[in-house]
Amino acid sequence: LAVEEPKYFWNFPNGGVQFEDTFPFLGIGSDTENVENNGQLSYFGDPVFLGSGGSGAVFSFSPKSASGGSDSDMNGKVAIKVSWKRSRSTVEKECQILRTLEKSGVPYVEKCIGPPNEYRFEDGRVIIALSPVVESPRGITSSIQYVDSGNAQQIAAKCVVETMVGMLRANIITLDVQPLIEMNSGQVLFIDFTEARNIFEGSDGSADAAGIVGFCSEMMALIPESLRDFTISYLKERVESVEM
């Protein structure tokens, strides 16, 4: 693919990020990890910086046609994460983890919707495409206590429980829990799985008991005291339904 002159620039301590006016991504919606073996090319534009961390910088993009106009065939915005040079393998692994969670049916977790692509403006870096981009008229929070009281808070608590149980069933844990919670509805999306890992990843093949306890503690710490009894009761229901 020909590389256009970049139009958008950001500078970060770990490296710069730049994009063309119309930004191509190969393999959206593909199940294969081999970018070269699938020719589905999607285009995006109008980048908005969302945040940066130890593994890379994240931007939201709107779907575009190859000529730069809006693409009515694609629904919603897409988040693009650009790795730093030192975190390439971490971001590639994050995409693999997210695809494992999706295939296992784990709810309320962002999806990696295409194979990693090479970052076109610097060798040794990679980009991944993530969905959905959460937008809420009332705003986003990471704390259930700031969600509208009543049913919305209970919905958020249920989302936390269902994600926790689903991840454990998929043998995936993380000690860096990052929820985005819609303040009006209580709907939750968990993002940034760069610290996630398989519980059997250790050299001896045994389950990481301490990691499991830490993960569950982090998830339950999201629940305010006023919802503890409700959440524990719902957790028992979910565990019993899994065991049946």
PDB file of all heavy atoms in Angstrom, residues 3-4 6 10-20 23 82-88 117-127:
ATOM      1  N   VAL A   3       1.953   4.924   0.916  1.00  0.00           N
ATOM      2  CA  VAL A   3       1.804   5.705   2.140  1.00  0.00           C
ATOM      3  C   VAL A   3       1.646   7.169   1.779  1.00  0.00           C
ATOM      4  O   VAL A   3       2.535   7.774   1.176  1.00  0.00           O
ATOM      5  CB  VAL A   3       3.017   5.518   3.072  1.00  0.00           C
ATOM      6  CG1 VAL A   3       2.847   6.353   4.340  1.00  0.00           C
ATOM      7  CG2 VAL A   3       3.186   4.049   3.423  1.00  0.00           C
ATOM      8  N   GLU A   4       0.490   7.766   2.134  1.00  0.00           N
ATOM      9  CA  GLU A   4       0.276   9.182   1.898  1.00  0.00           C
ATOM     10  C   GLU A   4       1.099  10.007   2.896  1.00  0.00           C
ATOM     11  O   GLU A   4       1.570   9.516   3.914  1.00  0.00           O
ATOM     12  CB  GLU A   4      -1.207   9.525   2.088  1.00  0.00           C
ATOM     13  CG  GLU A   4      -2.149   8.817   1.138  1.00  0.00           C
ATOM     14  CD  GLU A   4      -3.593   9.161   1.456  1.00  0.00           C
ATOM     15  OE1 GLU A   4      -3.830  10.067   2.297  1.00  0.00           O
ATOM     16  OE2 GLU A   4      -4.479   8.533   0.873  1.00  0.00           O
ATOM     17  N   PRO A   6       1.572  12.222   5.961  1.00  0.00           N
ATOM     18  CA  PRO A   6       0.750  12.311   7.168  1.00  0.00           C
ATOM     19  C   PRO A   6       0.141  13.698   7.341  1.00  0.00           C
ATOM     20  O   PRO A   6       0.729  14.704   6.945  1.00  0.00           O
ATOM     21  CB  PRO A   6       1.740  12.004   8.289  1.00  0.00           C
ATOM     22  CG  PRO A   6       3.077  12.337   7.721  1.00  0.00           C
ATOM     23  CD  PRO A   6       2.992  12.025   6.257  1.00  0.00           C
ATOM     24  N   TRP A  10       1.107  13.565  16.682  1.00  0.00           N
ATOM     25  CA  TRP A  10       1.147  13.662  18.136  1.00  0.00           C
ATOM     26  C   TRP A  10       2.548  13.237  18.594  1.00  0.00           C
ATOM     27  O   TRP A  10       3.122  12.300  18.034  1.00  0.00           O
ATOM     28  CB  TRP A  10       0.123  12.738  18.792  1.00  0.00           C
ATOM     29  CG  TRP A  10      -1.296  13.145  18.613  1.00  0.00           C
ATOM     30  CD1 TRP A  10      -2.069  13.875  19.467  1.00  0.00           C
ATOM     31  CD2 TRP A  10      -2.150  12.814  17.508  1.00  0.00           C
ATOM     32  NE1 TRP A  10      -3.338  14.026  18.974  1.00  0.00           N
ATOM     33  CE2 TRP A  10      -3.420  13.383  17.765  1.00  0.00           C
ATOM     34  CE3 TRP A  10      -1.970  12.095  16.329  1.00  0.00           C
ATOM     35  CZ2 TRP A  10      -4.486  13.255  16.890  1.00  0.00           C
ATOM     36  CZ3 TRP A  10      -3.018  11.966  15.450  1.00  0.00           C
ATOM     37  CH2 TRP A  10      -4.265  12.550  15.737  1.00  0.00           C
ATOM     38  N   ASN A  11       3.058  13.892  19.614  1.00  0.00           N
ATOM     39  CA  ASN A  11       4.359  13.529  20.175  1.00  0.00           C
ATOM     40  C   ASN A  11       4.186  13.025  21.596  1.00  0.00           C
ATOM     41  O   ASN A  11       3.491  13.648  22.405  1.00  0.00           O
ATOM     42  CB  ASN A  11       5.306  14.736  20.163  1.00  0.00           C
ATOM     43  CG  ASN A  11       5.761  15.108  18.766  1.00  0.00           C
ATOM     44  OD1 ASN A  11       6.136  14.232  17.990  1.00  0.00           O
ATOM     45  ND2 ASN A  11       5.730  16.396  18.441  1.00  0.00           N
ATOM     46  N   PHE A  12       4.814  11.882  21.886  1.00  0.00           N
ATOM     47  CA  PHE A  12       4.762  11.276  23.207  1.00  0.00           C
ATOM     48  C   PHE A  12       6.185  10.923  23.629  1.00  0.00           C
ATOM     49  O   PHE A  12       7.073  10.757  22.778  1.00  0.00           O
ATOM     50  CB  PHE A  12       3.902  10.008  23.193  1.00  0.00           C
ATOM     51  CG  PHE A  12       2.493  10.227  22.726  1.00  0.00           C
ATOM     52  CD1 PHE A  12       2.144   9.981  21.398  1.00  0.00           C
ATOM     53  CD2 PHE A  12       1.514  10.666  23.596  1.00  0.00           C
ATOM     54  CE1 PHE A  12       0.850  10.177  20.958  1.00  0.00           C
ATOM     55  CE2 PHE A  12       0.216  10.870  23.165  1.00  0.00           C
ATOM     56  CZ  PHE A  12      -0.124  10.626  21.843  1.00  0.00           C
ATOM     57  N   PRO A  13       6.436  10.773  24.935  1.00  0.00           N
ATOM     58  CA  PRO A  13       7.784  10.408  25.388  1.00  0.00           C
ATOM     59  C   PRO A  13       8.301   9.111  24.787  1.00  0.00           C
ATOM     60  O   PRO A  13       9.509   8.956  24.574  1.00  0.00           O
ATOM     61  CB  PRO A  13       7.615  10.288  26.911  1.00  0.00           C
ATOM     62  CG  PRO A  13       6.462  11.173  27.237  1.00  0.00           C
ATOM     63  CD  PRO A  13       5.531  11.066  26.071  1.00  0.00           C
ATOM     64  N   ASN A  14       7.385   8.176  24.479  1.00  0.00           N
ATOM     65  CA  ASN A  14       7.795   6.866  23.950  1.00  0.00           C
ATOM     66  C   ASN A  14       7.812   6.807  22.423  1.00  0.00           C
ATOM     67  O   ASN A  14       8.114   5.762  21.853  1.00  0.00           O
ATOM     68  CB  ASN A  14       6.867   5.774  24.480  1.00  0.00           C
ATOM     69  CG  ASN A  14       7.036   5.557  25.964  1.00  0.00           C
ATOM     70  OD1 ASN A  14       8.153   5.432  26.447  1.00  0.00           O
ATOM     71  ND2 ASN A  14       5.939   5.525  26.700  1.00  0.00           N
ATOM     72  N   GLY A  15       7.477   7.911  21.766  1.00  0.00           N
ATOM     73  CA  GLY A  15       7.480   7.917  20.311  1.00  0.00           C
ATOM     74  C   GLY A  15       6.363   8.767  19.747  1.00  0.00           C
ATOM     75  O   GLY A  15       5.340   8.978  20.401  1.00  0.00           O
ATOM     76  N   GLY A  16       6.541   9.230  18.528  1.00  0.00           N
ATOM     77  CA  GLY A  16       5.512  10.010  17.873  1.00  0.00           C
ATOM     78  C   GLY A  16       4.481   9.129  17.193  1.00  0.00           C
ATOM     79  O   GLY A  16       4.714   7.950  16.923  1.00  0.00           O
ATOM     80  N   VAL A  17       3.308   9.707  16.929  1.00  0.00           N
ATOM     81  CA  VAL A  17       2.255   9.022  16.182  1.00  0.00           C
ATOM     82  C   VAL A  17       1.759   9.967  15.106  1.00  0.00           C
ATOM     83  O   VAL A  17       1.539  11.158  15.359  1.00  0.00           O
ATOM     84  CB  VAL A  17       1.078   8.617  17.101  1.00  0.00           C
ATOM     85  CG1 VAL A  17      -0.065   8.035  16.269  1.00  0.00           C
ATOM     86  CG2 VAL A  17       1.533   7.608  18.148  1.00  0.00           C
ATOM     87  N   GLN A  18       1.582   9.432  13.907  1.00  0.00           N
ATOM     88  CA  GLN A  18       1.051  10.234  12.816  1.00  0.00           C
ATOM     89  C   GLN A  18       0.153   9.371  11.939  1.00  0.00           C
ATOM     90  O   GLN A  18       0.300   8.155  11.870  1.00  0.00           O
ATOM     91  CB  GLN A  18       2.183  10.853  11.990  1.00  0.00           C
ATOM     92  CG  GLN A  18       3.243   9.874  11.528  1.00  0.00           C
ATOM     93  CD  GLN A  18       4.476  10.584  10.990  1.00  0.00           C
ATOM     94  OE1 GLN A  18       4.599  11.789  11.066  1.00  0.00           O
ATOM     95  NE2 GLN A  18       5.399   9.824  10.417  1.00  0.00           N
ATOM     96  N   PHE A  19      -0.800  10.034  11.293  1.00  0.00           N
ATOM     97  CA  PHE A  19      -1.753   9.349  10.428  1.00  0.00           C
ATOM     98  C   PHE A  19      -1.990  10.173   9.171  1.00  0.00           C
ATOM     99  O   PHE A  19      -1.892  11.405   9.183  1.00  0.00           O
ATOM    100  CB  PHE A  19      -3.104   9.149  11.124  1.00  0.00           C
ATOM    101  CG  PHE A  19      -3.060   8.235  12.311  1.00  0.00           C
ATOM    102  CD1 PHE A  19      -3.186   8.744  13.596  1.00  0.00           C
ATOM    103  CD2 PHE A  19      -2.909   6.866  12.153  1.00  0.00           C
ATOM    104  CE1 PHE A  19      -3.155   7.907  14.696  1.00  0.00           C
ATOM    105  CE2 PHE A  19      -2.875   6.022  13.247  1.00  0.00           C
ATOM    106  CZ  PHE A  19      -2.999   6.552  14.519  1.00  0.00           C
ATOM    107  N   GLU A  20      -2.345   9.457   8.101  1.00  0.00           N
ATOM    108  CA  GLU A  20      -2.778  10.118   6.884  1.00  0.00           C
ATOM    109  C   GLU A  20      -4.183  10.679   7.070  1.00  0.00           C
ATOM    110  O   GLU A  20      -4.857  10.401   8.058  1.00  0.00           O
ATOM    111  CB  GLU A  20      -2.805   9.129   5.715  1.00  0.00           C
ATOM    112  CG  GLU A  20      -1.548   8.323   5.512  1.00  0.00           C
ATOM    113  CD  GLU A  20      -1.647   6.938   6.134  1.00  0.00           C
ATOM    114  OE1 GLU A  20      -2.028   6.879   7.324  1.00  0.00           O
ATOM    115  OE2 GLU A  20      -1.341   5.948   5.461  1.00  0.00           O
ATOM    116  N   PHE A  23      -6.971   6.780   6.544  1.00  0.00           N
ATOM    117  CA  PHE A  23      -6.059   5.802   7.136  1.00  0.00           C
ATOM    118  C   PHE A  23      -6.539   4.384   6.839  1.00  0.00           C
ATOM    119  O   PHE A  23      -7.666   4.020   7.185  1.00  0.00           O
ATOM    120  CB  PHE A  23      -6.003   6.072   8.645  1.00  0.00           C
ATOM    121  CG  PHE A  23      -5.339   4.994   9.441  1.00  0.00           C
ATOM    122  CD1 PHE A  23      -3.979   4.781   9.342  1.00  0.00           C
ATOM    123  CD2 PHE A  23      -6.068   4.210  10.319  1.00  0.00           C
ATOM    124  CE1 PHE A  23      -3.359   3.795  10.088  1.00  0.00           C
ATOM    125  CE2 PHE A  23      -5.465   3.220  11.072  1.00  0.00           C
ATOM    126  CZ  PHE A  23      -4.102   3.010  10.943  1.00  0.00           C
ATOM    127  N   VAL A  82      -1.794   2.277  18.772  1.00  0.00           N
ATOM    128  CA  VAL A  82      -0.472   2.260  18.161  1.00  0.00           C
ATOM    129  C   VAL A  82       0.540   1.916  19.244  1.00  0.00           C
ATOM    130  O   VAL A  82       0.654   2.615  20.253  1.00  0.00           O
ATOM    131  CB  VAL A  82      -0.126   3.628  17.545  1.00  0.00           C
ATOM    132  CG1 VAL A  82       1.210   3.559  16.817  1.00  0.00           C
ATOM    133  CG2 VAL A  82      -1.226   4.104  16.607  1.00  0.00           C
ATOM    134  N   SER A  83       1.268   0.832  19.055  1.00  0.00           N
ATOM    135  CA  SER A  83       2.237   0.412  20.083  1.00  0.00           C
ATOM    136  C   SER A  83       3.463   1.305  20.065  1.00  0.00           C
ATOM    137  O   SER A  83       3.769   1.979  19.076  1.00  0.00           O
ATOM    138  CB  SER A  83       2.665  -1.037  19.847  1.00  0.00           C
ATOM    139  OG  SER A  83       3.623  -1.118  18.791  1.00  0.00           O
ATOM    140  N   TRP A  84       4.184   1.307  21.177  1.00  0.00           N
ATOM    141  CA  TRP A  84       5.542   1.817  21.175  1.00  0.00           C
ATOM    142  C   TRP A  84       6.453   0.717  20.633  1.00  0.00           C
ATOM    143  O   TRP A  84       6.034  -0.446  20.538  1.00  0.00           O
ATOM    144  CB  TRP A  84       5.985   2.212  22.587  1.00  0.00           C
ATOM    145  CG  TRP A  84       5.001   3.024  23.370  1.00  0.00           C
ATOM    146  CD1 TRP A  84       4.543   2.758  24.617  1.00  0.00           C
ATOM    147  CD2 TRP A  84       4.364   4.247  22.967  1.00  0.00           C
ATOM    148  NE1 TRP A  84       3.645   3.718  25.037  1.00  0.00           N
ATOM    149  CE2 TRP A  84       3.515   4.652  24.029  1.00  0.00           C
ATOM    150  CE3 TRP A  84       4.401   5.030  21.812  1.00  0.00           C
ATOM    151  CZ2 TRP A  84       2.732   5.804  23.987  1.00  0.00           C
ATOM    152  CZ3 TRP A  84       3.624   6.177  21.762  1.00  0.00           C
ATOM    153  CH2 TRP A  84       2.817   6.559  22.837  1.00  0.00           C
ATOM    154  N   LYS A  85       7.674   1.046  20.304  1.00  0.00           N
ATOM    155  CA  LYS A  85       8.595   0.023  19.787  1.00  0.00           C
ATOM    156  C   LYS A  85       8.817  -1.093  20.803  1.00  0.00           C
ATOM    157  O   LYS A  85       8.820  -2.268  20.462  1.00  0.00           O
ATOM    158  CB  LYS A  85       9.934   0.664  19.411  1.00  0.00           C
ATOM    159  CG  LYS A  85      10.032   1.065  17.957  1.00  0.00           C
ATOM    160  CD  LYS A  85      11.470   1.295  17.545  1.00  0.00           C
ATOM    161  CE  LYS A  85      11.556   1.462  16.025  1.00  0.00           C
ATOM    162  NZ  LYS A  85      12.951   1.617  15.574  1.00  0.00           N
ATOM    163  N   ARG A  86       8.994  -0.727  22.064  1.00  0.00           N
ATOM    164  CA  ARG A  86       9.300  -1.720  23.093  1.00  0.00           C
ATOM    165  C   ARG A  86       8.095  -2.559  23.489  1.00  0.00           C
ATOM    166  O   ARG A  86       8.238  -3.566  24.176  1.00  0.00           O
ATOM    167  CB  ARG A  86       9.863  -1.024  24.336  1.00  0.00           C
ATOM    168  CG  ARG A  86       8.892  -0.033  24.971  1.00  0.00           C
ATOM    169  CD  ARG A  86       9.487   0.599  26.227  1.00  0.00           C
ATOM    170  NE  ARG A  86       8.675   1.670  26.758  1.00  0.00           N
ATOM    171  CZ  ARG A  86       7.578   1.509  27.465  1.00  0.00           C
ATOM    172  NH1 ARG A  86       7.129   0.288  27.709  1.00  0.00           N
ATOM    173  NH2 ARG A  86       6.900   2.546  27.916  1.00  0.00           N
ATOM    174  N   SER A  87       6.879  -2.143  23.089  1.00  0.00           N
ATOM    175  CA  SER A  87       5.673  -2.838  23.530  1.00  0.00           C
ATOM    176  C   SER A  87       4.950  -3.550  22.391  1.00  0.00           C
ATOM    177  O   SER A  87       3.801  -3.962  22.543  1.00  0.00           O
ATOM    178  CB  SER A  87       4.706  -1.851  24.204  1.00  0.00           C
ATOM    179  OG  SER A  87       4.302  -0.844  23.294  1.00  0.00           O
ATOM    180  N   ARG A  88       5.633  -3.726  21.265  1.00  0.00           N
ATOM    181  CA  ARG A  88       4.998  -4.379  20.120  1.00  0.00           C
ATOM    182  C   ARG A  88       4.399  -5.737  20.496  1.00  0.00           C
ATOM    183  O   ARG A  88       3.225  -6.013  20.238  1.00  0.00           O
ATOM    184  CB  ARG A  88       6.011  -4.552  18.993  1.00  0.00           C
ATOM    185  CG  ARG A  88       5.449  -5.326  17.803  1.00  0.00           C
ATOM    186  CD  ARG A  88       6.510  -5.728  16.801  1.00  0.00           C
ATOM    187  NE  ARG A  88       5.912  -6.511  15.728  1.00  0.00           N
ATOM    188  CZ  ARG A  88       5.738  -6.076  14.492  1.00  0.00           C
ATOM    189  NH1 ARG A  88       6.127  -4.870  14.143  1.00  0.00           N
ATOM    190  NH2 ARG A  88       5.167  -6.856  13.584  1.00  0.00           N
ATOM    191  N   ASN A 117      -1.717  -4.916  12.370  1.00  0.00           N
ATOM    192  CA  ASN A 117      -1.095  -4.377  11.157  1.00  0.00           C
ATOM    193  C   ASN A 117       0.222  -3.698  11.524  1.00  0.00           C
ATOM    194  O   ASN A 117       0.383  -3.214  12.653  1.00  0.00           O
ATOM    195  CB  ASN A 117      -1.993  -3.327  10.497  1.00  0.00           C
ATOM    196  CG  ASN A 117      -3.144  -3.930   9.685  1.00  0.00           C
ATOM    197  OD1 ASN A 117      -3.561  -3.360   8.682  1.00  0.00           O
ATOM    198  ND2 ASN A 117      -3.709  -5.044  10.127  1.00  0.00           N
ATOM    199  N   GLU A 118       1.129  -3.657  10.576  1.00  0.00           N
ATOM    200  CA  GLU A 118       2.352  -2.895  10.787  1.00  0.00           C
ATOM    201  C   GLU A 118       2.014  -1.403  10.810  1.00  0.00           C
ATOM    202  O   GLU A 118       1.201  -0.925  10.021  1.00  0.00           O
ATOM    203  CB  GLU A 118       3.368  -3.165   9.678  1.00  0.00           C
ATOM    204  CG  GLU A 118       3.879  -4.596   9.634  1.00  0.00           C
ATOM    205  CD  GLU A 118       4.702  -4.944  10.861  1.00  0.00           C
ATOM    206  OE1 GLU A 118       5.457  -4.077  11.336  1.00  0.00           O
ATOM    207  OE2 GLU A 118       4.592  -6.092  11.336  1.00  0.00           O
ATOM    208  N   TYR A 119       2.649  -0.667  11.740  1.00  0.00           N
ATOM    209  CA  TYR A 119       2.507   0.789  11.763  1.00  0.00           C
ATOM    210  C   TYR A 119       3.304   1.354  10.602  1.00  0.00           C
ATOM    211  O   TYR A 119       4.500   1.088  10.472  1.00  0.00           O
ATOM    212  CB  TYR A 119       2.991   1.338  13.102  1.00  0.00           C
ATOM    213  CG  TYR A 119       2.976   2.835  13.190  1.00  0.00           C
ATOM    214  CD1 TYR A 119       1.799   3.554  13.011  1.00  0.00           C
ATOM    215  CD2 TYR A 119       4.147   3.541  13.438  1.00  0.00           C
ATOM    216  CE1 TYR A 119       1.788   4.934  13.088  1.00  0.00           C
ATOM    217  CE2 TYR A 119       4.148   4.920  13.526  1.00  0.00           C
ATOM    218  CZ  TYR A 119       2.965   5.611  13.346  1.00  0.00           C
ATOM    219  OH  TYR A 119       2.953   6.982  13.420  1.00  0.00           O
ATOM    220  N   ARG A 120       2.660   2.131   9.775  1.00  0.00           N
ATOM    221  CA  ARG A 120       3.207   2.473   8.466  1.00  0.00           C
ATOM    222  C   ARG A 120       4.295   3.557   8.497  1.00  0.00           C
ATOM    223  O   ARG A 120       4.970   3.760   7.492  1.00  0.00           O
ATOM    224  CB  ARG A 120       2.062   2.925   7.546  1.00  0.00           C
ATOM    225  CG  ARG A 120       1.125   1.789   7.184  1.00  0.00           C
ATOM    226  CD  ARG A 120      -0.276   2.278   6.887  1.00  0.00           C
ATOM    227  NE  ARG A 120      -0.397   3.201   5.790  1.00  0.00           N
ATOM    228  CZ  ARG A 120      -0.451   2.878   4.502  1.00  0.00           C
ATOM    229  NH1 ARG A 120      -0.367   1.603   4.163  1.00  0.00           N
ATOM    230  NH2 ARG A 120      -0.587   3.791   3.561  1.00  0.00           N
ATOM    231  N   PHE A 121       4.467   4.224   9.630  1.00  0.00           N
ATOM    232  CA  PHE A 121       5.401   5.344   9.658  1.00  0.00           C
ATOM    233  C   PHE A 121       6.668   5.071  10.462  1.00  0.00           C
ATOM    234  O   PHE A 121       7.526   5.938  10.557  1.00  0.00           O
ATOM    235  CB  PHE A 121       4.699   6.597  10.195  1.00  0.00           C
ATOM    236  CG  PHE A 121       3.646   7.119   9.247  1.00  0.00           C
ATOM    237  CD1 PHE A 121       2.310   6.852   9.463  1.00  0.00           C
ATOM    238  CD2 PHE A 121       4.010   7.852   8.133  1.00  0.00           C
ATOM    239  CE1 PHE A 121       1.345   7.317   8.591  1.00  0.00           C
ATOM    240  CE2 PHE A 121       3.052   8.320   7.253  1.00  0.00           C
ATOM    241  CZ  PHE A 121       1.713   8.058   7.468  1.00  0.00           C
ATOM    242  N   GLU A 122       6.774   3.880  11.052  1.00  0.00           N
ATOM    243  CA  GLU A 122       8.006   3.533  11.771  1.00  0.00           C
ATOM    244  C   GLU A 122       8.100   2.022  11.915  1.00  0.00           C
ATOM    245  O   GLU A 122       7.170   1.381  12.403  1.00  0.00           O
ATOM    246  CB  GLU A 122       8.046   4.196  13.155  1.00  0.00           C
ATOM    247  CG  GLU A 122       9.365   3.956  13.883  1.00  0.00           C
ATOM    248  CD  GLU A 122       9.423   4.651  15.226  1.00  0.00           C
ATOM    249  OE1 GLU A 122       8.400   5.213  15.668  1.00  0.00           O
ATOM    250  OE2 GLU A 122      10.507   4.622  15.847  1.00  0.00           O
ATOM    251  N   ASP A 123       9.203   1.450  11.507  1.00  0.00           N
ATOM    252  CA  ASP A 123       9.405   0.010  11.621  1.00  0.00           C
ATOM    253  C   ASP A 123       9.439  -0.410  13.091  1.00  0.00           C
ATOM    254  O   ASP A 123       9.869   0.343  13.965  1.00  0.00           O
ATOM    255  CB  ASP A 123      10.716  -0.398  10.953  1.00  0.00           C
ATOM    256  CG  ASP A 123      10.675  -0.237   9.441  1.00  0.00           C
ATOM    257  OD1 ASP A 123       9.562  -0.165   8.891  1.00  0.00           O
ATOM    258  OD2 ASP A 123      11.761  -0.153   8.829  1.00  0.00           O
ATOM    259  N   GLY A 124       8.991  -1.647  13.333  1.00  0.00           N
ATOM    260  CA  GLY A 124       9.070  -2.210  14.671  1.00  0.00           C
ATOM    261  C   GLY A 124       7.885  -1.890  15.564  1.00  0.00           C
ATOM    262  O   GLY A 124       7.883  -2.272  16.737  1.00  0.00           O
ATOM    263  N   ARG A 125       6.872  -1.218  15.013  1.00  0.00           N
ATOM    264  CA  ARG A 125       5.667  -0.909  15.790  1.00  0.00           C
ATOM    265  C   ARG A 125       4.455  -1.522  15.098  1.00  0.00           C
ATOM    266  O   ARG A 125       4.472  -1.818  13.904  1.00  0.00           O
ATOM    267  CB  ARG A 125       5.489   0.605  15.943  1.00  0.00           C
ATOM    268  CG  ARG A 125       6.635   1.254  16.704  1.00  0.00           C
ATOM    269  CD  ARG A 125       6.590   2.761  16.641  1.00  0.00           C
ATOM    270  NE  ARG A 125       5.483   3.312  17.404  1.00  0.00           N
ATOM    271  CZ  ARG A 125       5.227   4.617  17.472  1.00  0.00           C
ATOM    272  NH1 ARG A 125       5.980   5.483  16.798  1.00  0.00           N
ATOM    273  NH2 ARG A 125       4.218   5.059  18.203  1.00  0.00           N
ATOM    274  N   VAL A 126       3.391  -1.712  15.856  1.00  0.00           N
ATOM    275  CA  VAL A 126       2.217  -2.399  15.351  1.00  0.00           C
ATOM    276  C   VAL A 126       0.977  -1.632  15.780  1.00  0.00           C
ATOM    277  O   VAL A 126       1.004  -0.878  16.761  1.00  0.00           O
ATOM    278  CB  VAL A 126       2.190  -3.861  15.873  1.00  0.00           C
ATOM    279  CG1 VAL A 126       1.866  -3.909  17.353  1.00  0.00           C
ATOM    280  CG2 VAL A 126       1.225  -4.721  15.078  1.00  0.00           C
ATOM    281  N   ILE A 127      -0.122  -1.811  15.035  1.00  0.00           N
ATOM    282  CA  ILE A 127      -1.403  -1.209  15.393  1.00  0.00           C
ATOM    283  C   ILE A 127      -2.467  -2.295  15.449  1.00  0.00           C
ATOM    284  O   ILE A 127      -2.403  -3.290  14.714  1.00  0.00           O
ATOM    285  CB  ILE A 127      -1.830  -0.097  14.413  1.00  0.00           C
ATOM    286  CG1 ILE A 127      -1.976  -0.660  12.994  1.00  0.00           C
ATOM    287  CG2 ILE A 127      -0.839   1.060  14.442  1.00  0.00           C
ATOM    288  CD1 ILE A 127      -2.491   0.349  11.993  1.00  0.00           C
TER     289      ILE A 127
END
